[in-house]
Amino acid sequence: VGDSGVLEFAGGSFRVTSAAAAGRCVLHVGKVERGSLAVGQSVTAKVDPSRMDTMRNHTATHLLNWALREVLGEHVNQAGSVVAPDRLRFDFTHNQAVTAEQLADVERRVNERVLADESVEVQTLPLAEARQIPGVRAVFGERYPDPVRVVVAGRGGASPSAEFCGGTHLDRTGQVALFKIVAEESVAKGVRRITAVTGRQAVAHVQNADAVLRACSLALRVPAEQVPERIEALQKEIKSLKKRPIAAAGGQEFQAQVAAETPAGKVLVGDAGTADAAAMRTLCDVQRQKGAAAVLLGGAEDGKVTL
């Protein structure tokens, strides 16, 4: 995702909405807000502060790439990536779903590197020399310039992350603040995708998840840590109720509000106590078997009415 911000110059400004590489130049896309621009004019470029969020996600992407290899194995290779201010998305080669335990391990390892507040260093080296850096990562099939830019996080540590990369990064891993995985899925055969958030977006995600958990806790009237157990118990109860024959349950308990005698037999009118159409039809069949000539049932449930 390109930079945004403003180019300021004498008597005016140019609002930059995006920046993109074009050969050896960087194109600034946007609109003149005040004054006018001329060839050869000096400008001062000021990057929007939101760039820091993108930098958090970019450095975190490198740490995620490292952690995936640590947990899943050296076969993991980058197969695509999006680094934006609000999220990061990382595609990687892996032939099976990542388990919840493995995801938790990956997330923990990244956050340990964040808490260690390791340095993030950028070097420009001859391509042949850069390829000799232990553990250095390069995207398969990508053509790199010579010299090449190398980003190393945690130099001097037990397992630093080193990648060929042309993007902007943090000065230290601690500036990521918090790393949180929000999704893991398959996108193609042998390719998985992880979506994650950092910094302010990670805090917002955790706060939202906490609010949802507290709401569930209040609705179920159990402590937060007992919510999964309570839901499982309710699911078993629902499954058991669905298996109960209507004739044994509602059929015997049904009380008609109106029971009219007709030449054809008794006509019953009443409240079924449910709005489930299938259950109501079964209830009608039960009353017909008991001798009713006709049955009219009504039922209301959660704002739904069935006749």
Side-chain angles (χ1 to χ4, degrees):
V1 175
D3 279 336
S4 60
V6 65
L7 302 180
E8 294 181 342
F9 50 90
S13 64
F14 178 91
R15 172 61 55 184
V16 179
T17 56
S18 184
R24 297 192 173 213
C25 299
V26 176
L27 302 182
H28 293 69
V29 181
K31 182 179 180 181
V32 175
E33 293 184 322
R34 293 183 297 111
S36 60
L37 277 169
V39 174
Q41 193 165 359
S42 294
V43 300
T44 300
K46 294 185 177 179
V47 178
D48 191 276
S50 68
R51 185 60 175 176
M52 192 70 180
D53 293 328
T54 303
M55 291 162 69
R56 286 190 183 96
N57 286 331
H58 200 170
T59 298
T61 298
H62 282 215
L63 296 178
L64 172 62
N65 193 359
W66 164 84
L68 285 167
R69 294 195 308 277
E70 290 286 306
V71 174
L72 302 179
E74 285 296 322
H75 65 278
V76 169
N77 282 303
Q78 180 175 335
S81 175
V82 171
V83 178
D86 61 332
R87 77 194 190 289
L88 66 92
R89 198 180 74 201
F90 188 74
D91 296 351
F92 58 98
T93 54
H94 190 57
N95 284 322
Q96 55 190 331
V98 184
T99 67
E101 292 76 14
Q102 288 172 328
L103 277 179
D105 194 9
V106 167
E107 190 175 270
R108 177 184 59 78
R109 287 171 186 264
V110 172
N111 279 305
E112 282 180 353
R113 298 288 294 267
V114 171
L115 291 169
D117 193 30
E118 299 168 334
S119 65
V120 180
E121 300 176 12
V122 176
Q123 290 180 296
T124 300
L125 300 170
L127 184 58
E129 181 182 338
R131 290 190 185 279
Q132 300 307 311
I133 296 174
V136 71
R137 306 299 292 187
V139 178
F140 178 75
E142 182 123 345
R143 297 179 65 183
Y144 292 97
D146 191 1
V148 68
R149 192 167 179 268
V150 183
V151 177
V152 182
R155 183 182 296 279
S159 54
S161 161
E163 292 191 36
F164 294 171
C165 181
T168 52
H169 282 271
L170 303 168
D171 297 320
R172 304 193 67 84
T173 60
Q175 292 171 295
V176 171
L178 176 63
F179 172 83
K180 183 66 184 167
I181 294 173
V182 297
E184 191 276 336
E185 59 189 327
S186 171
V187 290
K189 186 177 181 180
V191 179
R192 310 292 301 180
R193 171 175 292 169
I194 282 180
T195 304
V197 288
T198 63
R200 285 175 291 198
Q201 288 78 21
V203 171
H205 178 83
V206 171
Q207 287 181 326
N208 182 64
D210 184 60
V212 170
L213 179 57
R214 280 190 279 111
C216 292
S217 176
L218 286 171
L220 296 172
R221 298 180 182 178
V222 295
E225 60 271 16
Q226 293 180 18
V227 166
E229 183 182 335
R230 180 64 179 138
I231 290 174
E232 186 179 357
L234 286 171
Q235 287 175 327
K236 287 181 179 178
E237 184 179 344
I238 291 168
K239 192 174 181 180
S240 175
L241 288 171
K242 283 183 176 179
K243 288 181 177 179
R244 289 175 60 190
I246 295 294
Q252 294 176 354
E253 298 165 8
F254 171 71
Q255 296 291 326
Q257 273 91 343
V258 176
E261 294 290 349
T262 74
K266 197 174 283 187
V267 175
L268 305 178
V269 180
D271 185 350
T274 177
D276 181 80
M280 292 171 74
R281 277 192 287 270
T282 303
L283 195 54
C284 287
D285 290 341
V286 170
Q287 296 303 320
R288 285 290 302 263
Q289 288 170 7
K290 290 183 177 181
V295 185
L296 174 60
L297 293 180
E301 199 169 16
D302 296 330
K304 174 186 175 184
V305 175
T306 304
L307 296 174

PDB file of all heavy atoms in Angstrom, residues 71-100:
ATOM      1  N   VAL A  71       7.318 -23.127  13.481  1.00  0.00           N
ATOM      2  CA  VAL A  71       6.255 -24.008  13.981  1.00  0.00           C
ATOM      3  C   VAL A  71       5.901 -25.105  12.975  1.00  0.00           C
ATOM      4  O   VAL A  71       5.743 -26.276  13.331  1.00  0.00           O
ATOM      5  CB  VAL A  71       4.992 -23.191  14.347  1.00  0.00           C
ATOM      6  CG1 VAL A  71       3.828 -24.109  14.739  1.00  0.00           C
ATOM      7  CG2 VAL A  71       5.299 -22.218  15.486  1.00  0.00           C
ATOM      8  N   LEU A  72       5.772 -24.737  11.690  1.00  0.00           N
ATOM      9  CA  LEU A  72       5.296 -25.689  10.678  1.00  0.00           C
ATOM     10  C   LEU A  72       6.422 -26.385   9.920  1.00  0.00           C
ATOM     11  O   LEU A  72       6.225 -27.479   9.392  1.00  0.00           O
ATOM     12  CB  LEU A  72       4.375 -24.975   9.684  1.00  0.00           C
ATOM     13  CG  LEU A  72       3.147 -24.279  10.275  1.00  0.00           C
ATOM     14  CD1 LEU A  72       2.354 -23.601   9.158  1.00  0.00           C
ATOM     15  CD2 LEU A  72       2.275 -25.244  11.048  1.00  0.00           C
ATOM     16  N   GLY A  73       7.582 -25.742   9.817  1.00  0.00           N
ATOM     17  CA  GLY A  73       8.696 -26.353   9.110  1.00  0.00           C
ATOM     18  C   GLY A  73       9.265 -25.465   8.023  1.00  0.00           C
ATOM     19  O   GLY A  73       8.641 -24.476   7.601  1.00  0.00           O
ATOM     20  N   GLU A  74      10.460 -25.817   7.554  1.00  0.00           N
ATOM     21  CA  GLU A  74      11.180 -25.007   6.571  1.00  0.00           C
ATOM     22  C   GLU A  74      10.551 -25.046   5.176  1.00  0.00           C
ATOM     23  O   GLU A  74      10.966 -24.314   4.289  1.00  0.00           O
ATOM     24  CB  GLU A  74      12.639 -25.462   6.494  1.00  0.00           C
ATOM     25  CG  GLU A  74      13.486 -25.016   7.673  1.00  0.00           C
ATOM     26  CD  GLU A  74      13.616 -23.498   7.759  1.00  0.00           C
ATOM     27  OE1 GLU A  74      13.734 -22.847   6.704  1.00  0.00           O
ATOM     28  OE2 GLU A  74      13.587 -22.973   8.886  1.00  0.00           O
ATOM     29  N   HIS A  75       9.535 -25.911   4.971  1.00  0.00           N
ATOM     30  CA  HIS A  75       8.877 -25.956   3.660  1.00  0.00           C
ATOM     31  C   HIS A  75       8.002 -24.735   3.419  1.00  0.00           C
ATOM     32  O   HIS A  75       7.579 -24.476   2.289  1.00  0.00           O
ATOM     33  CB  HIS A  75       8.003 -27.209   3.552  1.00  0.00           C
ATOM     34  CG  HIS A  75       6.847 -27.191   4.523  1.00  0.00           C
ATOM     35  ND1 HIS A  75       6.983 -27.563   5.846  1.00  0.00           N
ATOM     36  CD2 HIS A  75       5.553 -26.819   4.372  1.00  0.00           C
ATOM     37  CE1 HIS A  75       5.808 -27.426   6.452  1.00  0.00           C
ATOM     38  NE2 HIS A  75       4.922 -26.985   5.576  1.00  0.00           N
ATOM     39  N   VAL A  76       7.709 -23.985   4.473  1.00  0.00           N
ATOM     40  CA  VAL A  76       6.836 -22.811   4.356  1.00  0.00           C
ATOM     41  C   VAL A  76       7.535 -21.724   3.540  1.00  0.00           C
ATOM     42  O   VAL A  76       8.657 -21.315   3.844  1.00  0.00           O
ATOM     43  CB  VAL A  76       6.456 -22.261   5.750  1.00  0.00           C
ATOM     44  CG1 VAL A  76       5.777 -20.898   5.624  1.00  0.00           C
ATOM     45  CG2 VAL A  76       5.551 -23.246   6.476  1.00  0.00           C
ATOM     46  N   ASN A  77       6.853 -21.260   2.492  1.00  0.00           N
ATOM     47  CA  ASN A  77       7.354 -20.154   1.661  1.00  0.00           C
ATOM     48  C   ASN A  77       6.238 -19.143   1.429  1.00  0.00           C
ATOM     49  O   ASN A  77       5.055 -19.505   1.366  1.00  0.00           O
ATOM     50  CB  ASN A  77       7.869 -20.661   0.312  1.00  0.00           C
ATOM     51  CG  ASN A  77       9.244 -21.285   0.421  1.00  0.00           C
ATOM     52  OD1 ASN A  77      10.192 -20.657   0.880  1.00  0.00           O
ATOM     53  ND2 ASN A  77       9.346 -22.546   0.029  1.00  0.00           N
ATOM     54  N   GLN A  78       6.612 -17.900   1.298  1.00  0.00           N
ATOM     55  CA  GLN A  78       5.632 -16.844   1.033  1.00  0.00           C
ATOM     56  C   GLN A  78       5.011 -17.043  -0.347  1.00  0.00           C
ATOM     57  O   GLN A  78       5.708 -17.280  -1.324  1.00  0.00           O
ATOM     58  CB  GLN A  78       6.297 -15.474   1.122  1.00  0.00           C
ATOM     59  CG  GLN A  78       5.348 -14.312   0.864  1.00  0.00           C
ATOM     60  CD  GLN A  78       6.031 -12.969   1.076  1.00  0.00           C
ATOM     61  OE1 GLN A  78       7.007 -12.875   1.814  1.00  0.00           O
ATOM     62  NE2 GLN A  78       5.520 -11.929   0.430  1.00  0.00           N
ATOM     63  N   ALA A  79       3.670 -16.934  -0.420  1.00  0.00           N
ATOM     64  CA  ALA A  79       2.970 -17.099  -1.700  1.00  0.00           C
ATOM     65  C   ALA A  79       2.097 -15.886  -2.008  1.00  0.00           C
ATOM     66  O   ALA A  79       1.269 -15.924  -2.913  1.00  0.00           O
ATOM     67  CB  ALA A  79       2.103 -18.358  -1.656  1.00  0.00           C
ATOM     68  N   GLY A  80       2.276 -14.806  -1.277  1.00  0.00           N
ATOM     69  CA  GLY A  80       1.485 -13.596  -1.487  1.00  0.00           C
ATOM     70  C   GLY A  80       1.392 -12.815  -0.192  1.00  0.00           C
ATOM     71  O   GLY A  80       1.506 -13.387   0.896  1.00  0.00           O
ATOM     72  N   SER A  81       1.191 -11.503  -0.308  1.00  0.00           N
ATOM     73  CA  SER A  81       1.143 -10.689   0.907  1.00  0.00           C
ATOM     74  C   SER A  81       0.448  -9.362   0.632  1.00  0.00           C
ATOM     75  O   SER A  81       0.595  -8.789  -0.446  1.00  0.00           O
ATOM     76  CB  SER A  81       2.571 -10.427   1.400  1.00  0.00           C
ATOM     77  OG  SER A  81       2.574  -9.559   2.505  1.00  0.00           O
ATOM     78  N   VAL A  82      -0.329  -8.899   1.615  1.00  0.00           N
ATOM     79  CA  VAL A  82      -0.906  -7.555   1.590  1.00  0.00           C
ATOM     80  C   VAL A  82      -0.568  -6.888   2.914  1.00  0.00           C
ATOM     81  O   VAL A  82      -0.816  -7.461   3.973  1.00  0.00           O
ATOM     82  CB  VAL A  82      -2.439  -7.585   1.396  1.00  0.00           C
ATOM     83  CG1 VAL A  82      -3.019  -6.191   1.598  1.00  0.00           C
ATOM     84  CG2 VAL A  82      -2.809  -8.094   0.014  1.00  0.00           C
ATOM     85  N   VAL A  83       0.034  -5.702   2.843  1.00  0.00           N
ATOM     86  CA  VAL A  83       0.341  -4.937   4.048  1.00  0.00           C
ATOM     87  C   VAL A  83      -0.382  -3.606   3.944  1.00  0.00           C
ATOM     88  O   VAL A  83      -0.071  -2.785   3.090  1.00  0.00           O
ATOM     89  CB  VAL A  83       1.864  -4.711   4.196  1.00  0.00           C
ATOM     90  CG1 VAL A  83       2.148  -3.862   5.424  1.00  0.00           C
ATOM     91  CG2 VAL A  83       2.598  -6.039   4.289  1.00  0.00           C
ATOM     92  N   ALA A  84      -1.371  -3.397   4.787  1.00  0.00           N
ATOM     93  CA  ALA A  84      -2.198  -2.187   4.767  1.00  0.00           C
ATOM     94  C   ALA A  84      -2.215  -1.563   6.162  1.00  0.00           C
ATOM     95  O   ALA A  84      -1.757  -2.180   7.128  1.00  0.00           O
ATOM     96  CB  ALA A  84      -3.613  -2.542   4.311  1.00  0.00           C
ATOM     97  N   PRO A  85      -2.745  -0.360   6.320  1.00  0.00           N
ATOM     98  CA  PRO A  85      -2.786   0.252   7.654  1.00  0.00           C
ATOM     99  C   PRO A  85      -3.655  -0.515   8.646  1.00  0.00           C
ATOM    100  O   PRO A  85      -3.371  -0.525   9.842  1.00  0.00           O
ATOM    101  CB  PRO A  85      -3.368   1.645   7.390  1.00  0.00           C
ATOM    102  CG  PRO A  85      -3.159   1.902   5.942  1.00  0.00           C
ATOM    103  CD  PRO A  85      -3.224   0.564   5.278  1.00  0.00           C
ATOM    104  N   ASP A  86      -4.718  -1.172   8.166  1.00  0.00           N
ATOM    105  CA  ASP A  86      -5.675  -1.795   9.082  1.00  0.00           C
ATOM    106  C   ASP A  86      -5.449  -3.285   9.292  1.00  0.00           C
ATOM    107  O   ASP A  86      -6.056  -3.879  10.187  1.00  0.00           O
ATOM    108  CB  ASP A  86      -7.101  -1.572   8.575  1.00  0.00           C
ATOM    109  CG  ASP A  86      -7.331  -2.189   7.202  1.00  0.00           C
ATOM    110  OD1 ASP A  86      -6.353  -2.302   6.436  1.00  0.00           O
ATOM    111  OD2 ASP A  86      -8.477  -2.562   6.892  1.00  0.00           O
ATOM    112  N   ARG A  87      -4.578  -3.927   8.479  1.00  0.00           N
ATOM    113  CA  ARG A  87      -4.399  -5.371   8.626  1.00  0.00           C
ATOM    114  C   ARG A  87      -3.195  -5.833   7.827  1.00  0.00           C
ATOM    115  O   ARG A  87      -2.657  -5.081   6.994  1.00  0.00           O
ATOM    116  CB  ARG A  87      -5.633  -6.132   8.125  1.00  0.00           C
ATOM    117  CG  ARG A  87      -5.725  -6.220   6.617  1.00  0.00           C
ATOM    118  CD  ARG A  87      -7.061  -6.652   6.111  1.00  0.00           C
ATOM    119  NE  ARG A  87      -7.052  -6.954   4.695  1.00  0.00           N
ATOM    120  CZ  ARG A  87      -6.945  -6.067   3.711  1.00  0.00           C
ATOM    121  NH1 ARG A  87      -6.819  -4.780   4.008  1.00  0.00           N
ATOM    122  NH2 ARG A  87      -6.962  -6.437   2.440  1.00  0.00           N
ATOM    123  N   LEU A  88      -2.797  -7.079   8.061  1.00  0.00           N
ATOM    124  CA  LEU A  88      -1.831  -7.727   7.192  1.00  0.00           C
ATOM    125  C   LEU A  88      -2.435  -9.061   6.756  1.00  0.00           C
ATOM    126  O   LEU A  88      -3.213  -9.676   7.485  1.00  0.00           O
ATOM    127  CB  LEU A  88      -0.492  -7.941   7.894  1.00  0.00           C
ATOM    128  CG  LEU A  88      -0.436  -8.921   9.082  1.00  0.00           C
ATOM    129  CD1 LEU A  88      -0.073 -10.330   8.625  1.00  0.00           C
ATOM    130  CD2 LEU A  88       0.589  -8.441  10.101  1.00  0.00           C
ATOM    131  N   ARG A  89      -2.089  -9.484   5.553  1.00  0.00           N
ATOM    132  CA  ARG A  89      -2.560 -10.763   5.018  1.00  0.00           C
ATOM    133  C   ARG A  89      -1.370 -11.484   4.420  1.00  0.00           C
ATOM    134  O   ARG A  89      -0.627 -10.901   3.630  1.00  0.00           O
ATOM    135  CB  ARG A  89      -3.622 -10.510   3.949  1.00  0.00           C
ATOM    136  CG  ARG A  89      -4.499 -11.722   3.634  1.00  0.00           C
ATOM    137  CD  ARG A  89      -5.514 -11.373   2.573  1.00  0.00           C
ATOM    138  NE  ARG A  89      -4.893 -11.272   1.253  1.00  0.00           N
ATOM    139  CZ  ARG A  89      -5.420 -10.611   0.242  1.00  0.00           C
ATOM    140  NH1 ARG A  89      -6.559  -9.967   0.395  1.00  0.00           N
ATOM    141  NH2 ARG A  89      -4.812 -10.581  -0.919  1.00  0.00           N
ATOM    142  N   PHE A  90      -1.176 -12.736   4.831  1.00  0.00           N
ATOM    143  CA  PHE A  90       0.018 -13.468   4.415  1.00  0.00           C
ATOM    144  C   PHE A  90      -0.374 -14.843   3.881  1.00  0.00           C
ATOM    145  O   PHE A  90      -0.970 -15.649   4.599  1.00  0.00           O
ATOM    146  CB  PHE A  90       0.970 -13.615   5.608  1.00  0.00           C
ATOM    147  CG  PHE A  90       2.316 -14.177   5.247  1.00  0.00           C
ATOM    148  CD1 PHE A  90       3.246 -13.406   4.575  1.00  0.00           C
ATOM    149  CD2 PHE A  90       2.662 -15.473   5.594  1.00  0.00           C
ATOM    150  CE1 PHE A  90       4.500 -13.912   4.241  1.00  0.00           C
ATOM    151  CE2 PHE A  90       3.908 -15.995   5.268  1.00  0.00           C
ATOM    152  CZ  PHE A  90       4.833 -15.210   4.592  1.00  0.00           C
ATOM    153  N   ASP A  91      -0.059 -15.108   2.620  1.00  0.00           N
ATOM    154  CA  ASP A  91      -0.306 -16.410   2.005  1.00  0.00           C
ATOM    155  C   ASP A  91       0.991 -17.218   2.031  1.00  0.00           C
ATOM    156  O   ASP A  91       2.070 -16.674   1.752  1.00  0.00           O
ATOM    157  CB  ASP A  91      -0.769 -16.252   0.561  1.00  0.00           C
ATOM    158  CG  ASP A  91      -2.115 -15.536   0.449  1.00  0.00           C
ATOM    159  OD1 ASP A  91      -2.757 -15.315   1.502  1.00  0.00           O
ATOM    160  OD2 ASP A  91      -2.500 -15.167  -0.670  1.00  0.00           O
ATOM    161  N   PHE A  92       0.883 -18.506   2.338  1.00  0.00           N
ATOM    162  CA  PHE A  92       2.081 -19.327   2.459  1.00  0.00           C
ATOM    163  C   PHE A  92       1.789 -20.765   2.039  1.00  0.00           C
ATOM    164  O   PHE A  92       0.640 -21.222   2.066  1.00  0.00           O
ATOM    165  CB  PHE A  92       2.616 -19.300   3.895  1.00  0.00           C
ATOM    166  CG  PHE A  92       1.623 -19.781   4.926  1.00  0.00           C
ATOM    167  CD1 PHE A  92       1.653 -21.086   5.413  1.00  0.00           C
ATOM    168  CD2 PHE A  92       0.648 -18.920   5.425  1.00  0.00           C
ATOM    169  CE1 PHE A  92       0.736 -21.537   6.358  1.00  0.00           C
ATOM    170  CE2 PHE A  92      -0.278 -19.355   6.370  1.00  0.00           C
ATOM    171  CZ  PHE A  92      -0.233 -20.664   6.834  1.00  0.00           C
ATOM    172  N   THR A  93       2.832 -21.473   1.653  1.00  0.00           N
ATOM    173  CA  THR A  93       2.683 -22.859   1.197  1.00  0.00           C
ATOM    174  C   THR A  93       2.630 -23.797   2.401  1.00  0.00           C
ATOM    175  O   THR A  93       3.498 -23.781   3.257  1.00  0.00           O
ATOM    176  CB  THR A  93       3.859 -23.253   0.292  1.00  0.00           C
ATOM    177  OG1 THR A  93       5.090 -22.997   0.980  1.00  0.00           O
ATOM    178  CG2 THR A  93       3.853 -22.443  -0.995  1.00  0.00           C
ATOM    179  N   HIS A  94       1.567 -24.604   2.442  1.00  0.00           N
ATOM    180  CA  HIS A  94       1.396 -25.608   3.502  1.00  0.00           C
ATOM    181  C   HIS A  94       0.249 -26.509   3.054  1.00  0.00           C
ATOM    182  O   HIS A  94      -0.796 -26.025   2.626  1.00  0.00           O
ATOM    183  CB  HIS A  94       1.084 -24.947   4.838  1.00  0.00           C
ATOM    184  CG  HIS A  94       1.123 -25.887   6.006  1.00  0.00           C
ATOM    185  ND1 HIS A  94       2.232 -26.643   6.317  1.00  0.00           N
ATOM    186  CD2 HIS A  94       0.189 -26.181   6.955  1.00  0.00           C
ATOM    187  CE1 HIS A  94       1.981 -27.361   7.400  1.00  0.00           C
ATOM    188  NE2 HIS A  94       0.749 -27.102   7.807  1.00  0.00           N
ATOM    189  N   ASN A  95       0.411 -27.812   3.173  1.00  0.00           N
ATOM    190  CA  ASN A  95      -0.543 -28.750   2.579  1.00  0.00           C
ATOM    191  C   ASN A  95      -1.707 -29.166   3.480  1.00  0.00           C
ATOM    192  O   ASN A  95      -2.484 -30.020   3.098  1.00  0.00           O
ATOM    193  CB  ASN A  95       0.194 -30.013   2.103  1.00  0.00           C
ATOM    194  CG  ASN A  95       0.950 -29.756   0.807  1.00  0.00           C
ATOM    195  OD1 ASN A  95       0.457 -29.036  -0.057  1.00  0.00           O
ATOM    196  ND2 ASN A  95       2.137 -30.305   0.689  1.00  0.00           N
ATOM    197  N   GLN A  96      -1.807 -28.615   4.656  1.00  0.00           N
ATOM    198  CA  GLN A  96      -2.928 -28.965   5.524  1.00  0.00           C
ATOM    199  C   GLN A  96      -3.311 -27.777   6.394  1.00  0.00           C
ATOM    200  O   GLN A  96      -2.554 -26.812   6.516  1.00  0.00           O
ATOM    201  CB  GLN A  96      -2.569 -30.165   6.399  1.00  0.00           C
ATOM    202  CG  GLN A  96      -1.310 -29.984   7.229  1.00  0.00           C
ATOM    203  CD  GLN A  96      -0.874 -31.281   7.895  1.00  0.00           C
ATOM    204  OE1 GLN A  96      -1.697 -32.129   8.183  1.00  0.00           O
ATOM    205  NE2 GLN A  96       0.418 -31.413   8.144  1.00  0.00           N
ATOM    206  N   ALA A  97      -4.505 -27.858   6.990  1.00  0.00           N
ATOM    207  CA  ALA A  97      -4.974 -26.770   7.840  1.00  0.00           C
ATOM    208  C   ALA A  97      -4.053 -26.610   9.044  1.00  0.00           C
ATOM    209  O   ALA A  97      -3.522 -27.585   9.572  1.00  0.00           O
ATOM    210  CB  ALA A  97      -6.406 -27.050   8.302  1.00  0.00           C
ATOM    211  N   VAL A  98      -3.855 -25.370   9.457  1.00  0.00           N
ATOM    212  CA  VAL A  98      -3.061 -25.089  10.647  1.00  0.00           C
ATOM    213  C   VAL A  98      -3.964 -25.274  11.865  1.00  0.00           C
ATOM    214  O   VAL A  98      -5.054 -24.712  11.917  1.00  0.00           O
ATOM    215  CB  VAL A  98      -2.499 -23.660  10.611  1.00  0.00           C
ATOM    216  CG1 VAL A  98      -1.596 -23.397  11.813  1.00  0.00           C
ATOM    217  CG2 VAL A  98      -1.742 -23.411   9.306  1.00  0.00           C
ATOM    218  N   THR A  99      -3.545 -26.079  12.818  1.00  0.00           N
ATOM    219  CA  THR A  99      -4.377 -26.358  13.991  1.00  0.00           C
ATOM    220  C   THR A  99      -4.444 -25.138  14.899  1.00  0.00           C
ATOM    221  O   THR A  99      -3.600 -24.233  14.818  1.00  0.00           O
ATOM    222  CB  THR A  99      -3.827 -27.547  14.791  1.00  0.00           C
ATOM    223  OG1 THR A  99      -2.565 -27.177  15.367  1.00  0.00           O
ATOM    224  CG2 THR A  99      -3.648 -28.773  13.901  1.00  0.00           C
ATOM    225  N   ALA A 100      -5.436 -25.138  15.790  1.00  0.00           N
ATOM    226  CA  ALA A 100      -5.584 -24.040  16.752  1.00  0.00           C
ATOM    227  C   ALA A 100      -4.342 -23.930  17.635  1.00  0.00           C
ATOM    228  O   ALA A 100      -3.891 -22.825  17.960  1.00  0.00           O
ATOM    229  CB  ALA A 100      -6.831 -24.265  17.606  1.00  0.00           C
TER     230      ALA A 100
END
